DNA sequence: GCCAACGTTGGC
DNA sequence: GCCAACGTTGGC
């Protein structure tokens, strides 16, 4: 760890699950991702100790609300095969899981939500995945440089 | 609530 | 394999 730590951005609608919910729970299973590209990151790329920017989408304001870290690497998402669950996927097979999640732990709340509109104007973030046109992925890589710029503002 | 940008589905 | 129709995401 440390050596090859990576950084990520996870989006959540705060009305569904906010940074305050994570603060209360201390730790949560990041479930419900049903997009293959995001799934690949969760299953293959998020590693123990990686840092996470917790992003509030569909919110007022939308933006970076806090920090978390990965405390358990990808494992199958049981909500995908639970017919009673909102995130049930009738096509997924419990013997060959399609959908994965990770456990994240609360690190800290941002002093203030850093709004998307403000991120767009910060030097050094021009290439950030979040700011690229049409970027809707709910799990995105962040570079060390981008992470440090944002950390320095919060 | 609107709608652009994507992703997925399914007929052919 | 193409692509139109449909569903979802998410900023505004």
């Amino acid at each position: 760890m440390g050596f090859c730590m990576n950084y990520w951005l996870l989006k959540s609608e705060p009305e569904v699950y906010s940074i305050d919910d994570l603060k209360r729970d201390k730790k949560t299973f990041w479930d419900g991702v049903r997009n293959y590209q995001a799934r690949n990151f969760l299953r293959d790329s998020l590693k123990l100790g990686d840092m996470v920017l917790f992003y509030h989408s569909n919110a007022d304001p939308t933006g970076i609300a806090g920090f978390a870290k990965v405390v358990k690497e990808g494992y199958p998402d049981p909500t995908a095969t639970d017919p009673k669950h909102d995130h049930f996927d009738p096509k997924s097979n419990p013997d060959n899981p399609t959908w994965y999640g990770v456990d994240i732990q609360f690190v800290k709340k941002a002093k203030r939500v850093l709004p998307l509109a403000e991120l767009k104007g910060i030097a050094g973030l021009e290439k950030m995945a979040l700011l690229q046109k049409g970027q809707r992925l709910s799990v995105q890589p962040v570079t060390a440089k981008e992470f440090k710029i944002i950390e320095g503002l919060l």
Side-chain angles (χ1 to χ4, degrees):
Chain A
M1 204 207 294
F3 192 69
C4 54
M5 186 194 292
N6 286 310
Y7 303 90
W8 306 93
L9 181 143
L10 299 184
K11 290 183 188 172
S12 182
E13 300 190 25
E15 292 203 358
V16 177
Y17 196 85
S18 71
I19 189 70
D20 288 318
D21 293 322
L22 181 62
K23 185 178 183 182
R24 178 197 64 217
D25 296 342
K26 297 186 176 63
K27 191 178 114 169
T28 197
F29 176 54
W30 200 259
D31 65 6
V33 171
R34 300 290 181 266
N35 169 283
Y36 285 100
Q37 207 181 338
R39 184 283 311 271
N40 291 344
F41 284 134
L42 290 173
R43 186 188 59 187
D44 306 330
S45 306
L46 274 73
K47 297 299 179 188
L48 213 57
D50 282 359
M51 289 297 298
V52 168
L53 298 173
F54 194 109
Y55 181 86
H56 282 177
S57 61
N58 266 320
D60 187 18
T62 106
I64 292 164
F67 299 86
K69 68 177 174 182
V70 177
V71 289
K72 186 172 178 183
E73 294 178 6
Y75 61 101
D77 180 350
T79 69
T81 50
D82 176 1
K84 294 191 297 294
H85 203 282
D86 283 350
H87 296 141
F88 176 60
D89 174 9
K91 294 193 304 306
S92 76
N93 169 7
D95 298 323
N96 184 19
T98 305
W99 305 115
Y100 282 69
V102 299
D103 285 349
I104 61 167
Q105 187 176 81
F106 178 75
V107 172
K108 67 171 179 177
K109 259 186 91 165
K111 290 192 209 101
R112 63 187 178 100
V113 174
L114 183 56
L116 177 63
E118 194 173 326
L119 287 169
K120 287 175 178 169
I122 295 171
L125 300 185
E126 295 83 359
K127 292 183 179 167
M128 193 175 178
L130 181 72
L131 305 183
Q132 302 315 301
K133 189 172 163 59
Q135 182 52 270
R136 300 184 315 172
L137 256 193
S138 63
V139 179
Q140 304 181 356
V142 174
T143 67
K145 189 180 94 175
E146 290 159 355
F147 183 87
K148 278 172 182 104
I149 291 171
I150 290 163
E151 194 181 27
L153 294 167
L154 297 172

